[in-house]
Amino acid sequence: MSLVNKIDFTVIFTVKGANPNGDPLNGNRPRQDLEGFGEVSDVAIKRKLRNRLQDLGQAIFVQSNDRTNDGFKSLRERAEGNSELKAIKKDSEEYARIASQAWFDVRAFGQVFAFKSGLSVGVRGPVSIQMAKTLEPIAINSIQITKSVNSEPGDKKGSDTMGMKHVVDFGVYKFSGSINTQLAEKTGFTYEDARLIKQALETLFENDASSARPEGTMEVRAVYWWEHDSQLGQFSSAQVHRALKVIPTTDEDQPYTVEKGEILSQLKESVYEV
């Protein structure tokens, strides 16, 4: 079923003793803005969404190297592995249509197909996601990491400093996003696709554990999902996102409260809460 009504959403999640998104230009410390508020990039969030959608059985074009499930080792190989795309020489609109049909993340987030051979095609996706930010400045705990085994034969065994590990002690993060119906029509993004995006947001950190993010250290606390009554919507996305005020508390079990503006009562609301 085609997506005919605009959708807005907001996600709240907590981080406790984990590094949600390291900054490679700053020693892989958790990202912060100049005022000390924690950040997670929109690119990192989309990576997690792609992984969850892949877990849900969807075909994904931009796959992580350690999660590839189709045997292709590059984006060009994956694109050329589609016989319909490989046959297209000049029709960029047809190329975009086939690519959107073939891969969920292309019709959701868009993609630039620019390889040394073939067409250069850009697809604009209907799902846009903002950077996540904490409600308050975060405290970062830095820990030295050591090893007690030999890396090479003949090495003298001992505890050698290997580097630093940085974690956020505790933080409440929030990000928002929207689904544009006009772009959804162009890529073939449907209501069923939107339902899968919502499901992926609710389970964003499942199957996502690592040494930087141990199991249980990152948790989605709430997903607020609003459907408008028209293509353009009754209100702008900025108005909708601003109408949900998330207020921090000092209780880690209930680390925030919410206040809803009047305009939200005029939208069809679905709420997932932990």
Side-chain angles (χ1 to χ4, degrees):
M1 182 178 178
S2 299
L3 185 68
V4 295
N5 293 334
K6 177 184 175 183
I7 291 172
D8 286 300
F9 56 86
T10 291
V11 178
I12 303 170
F13 65 91
T14 54
V15 175
K16 185 175 183 179
N19 185 345
N21 186 204
D23 184 351
L25 299 180
N26 190 25
N28 208 43
R29 289 172 58 86
R31 294 180 188 271
Q32 286 179 290
D33 67 10
L34 294 177
E35 296 178 334
F37 288 82
E39 295 178 330
V40 174
S41 73
D42 58 314
V43 175
I45 294 169
K46 288 178 183 178
R47 175 71 273 153
K48 296 181 191 301
L49 281 172
R50 284 183 168 98
N51 291 347
R52 291 300 298 130
L53 290 162
Q54 192 174 357
D55 292 340
L56 294 171
Q58 299 303 305
I60 298 299
F61 182 69
V62 184
Q63 298 180 22
S64 293
N65 288 338
D66 60 347
R67 291 177 60 98
T68 55
N69 58 10
D70 55 12
F72 298 114
K73 297 180 179 179
S74 69
L75 297 182
R76 192 185 81 177
E77 288 177 335
R78 187 165 294 120
E80 292 179 348
N82 184 299
S83 58
E84 291 184 88
L85 288 184
K86 194 172 183 179
I88 296 175
K89 302 300 182 185
K90 295 182 179 180
D91 192 339
S92 59
E93 288 189 8
E94 181 66 4
Y95 192 104
R97 184 191 69 79
I98 293 172
S100 297
Q101 188 179 53
W103 294 290
F104 188 105
D105 56 332
V106 175
R107 66 178 176 271
F109 307 127
Q111 181 65 33
V112 175
F113 295 85
F115 309 120
K116 292 180 180 179
S117 59
L119 291 172
S120 178
V121 178
V123 179
R124 286 186 65 195
V127 182
S128 61
I129 293 178
Q130 301 172 10
M131 178 180 291
K133 207 158 193 174
T134 55
L135 306 183
E136 296 182 300
I138 56 173
I140 297 176
N141 190 16
S142 297
I143 308 162
Q144 275 192 340
I145 302 172
T146 62
K147 66 171 184 172
S148 58
V149 296
N150 296 335
S151 298
E152 297 288 343
D155 283 352
K156 183 178 179 181
K157 187 175 180 179
S159 295
D160 302 319
T161 300
M162 294 179 64
M164 301 291 292
K165 182 176 183 178
H166 312 282
V167 298
V168 175
D169 283 343
F170 186 80
V172 182
Y173 290 72
K174 182 186 79 167
F175 70 89
S176 298
S178 300
I179 305 179
N180 181 296
T181 55
Q182 294 168 316
L183 293 175
E185 185 178 359
K186 288 184 177 181
T187 66
F189 188 90
T190 65
Y191 264 116
E192 175 62 18
D193 291 334
R195 186 191 68 79
L196 287 170
I197 288 286
K198 183 173 184 291
Q199 184 178 352
L201 289 170
E202 293 171 354
T203 60
L204 192 60
F205 304 117
E206 290 186 14
N207 200 22
D208 186 55
S210 71
S211 61
R213 303 181 302 278
E215 287 282 6
T217 58
M218 297 184 64
E219 181 182 17
V220 173
R221 294 296 188 101
V223 176
Y224 293 87
W225 188 268
W226 300 283
E227 184 177 335
H228 297 249
D229 64 5
S230 64
Q231 277 195 329
L232 296 179
Q234 298 103 297
F235 310 100
S236 71
S237 294
Q239 288 175 302
V240 174
H241 299 154
R242 191 167 58 244
L244 183 76
K245 297 186 183 302
V246 185
I247 304 163
T249 71
T250 57
D251 183 358
E252 288 189 6
D253 291 329
Q254 299 290 333
Y256 64 90
T257 60
V258 297
E259 294 179 359
K260 296 182 181 181
E262 176 62 28
I263 68 171
L264 297 182
S265 64
Q266 301 178 50
L267 303 176
K268 182 180 177 181
E269 182 183 72
S270 172
V271 182
Y272 165 87
E273 289 181 311
V274 173

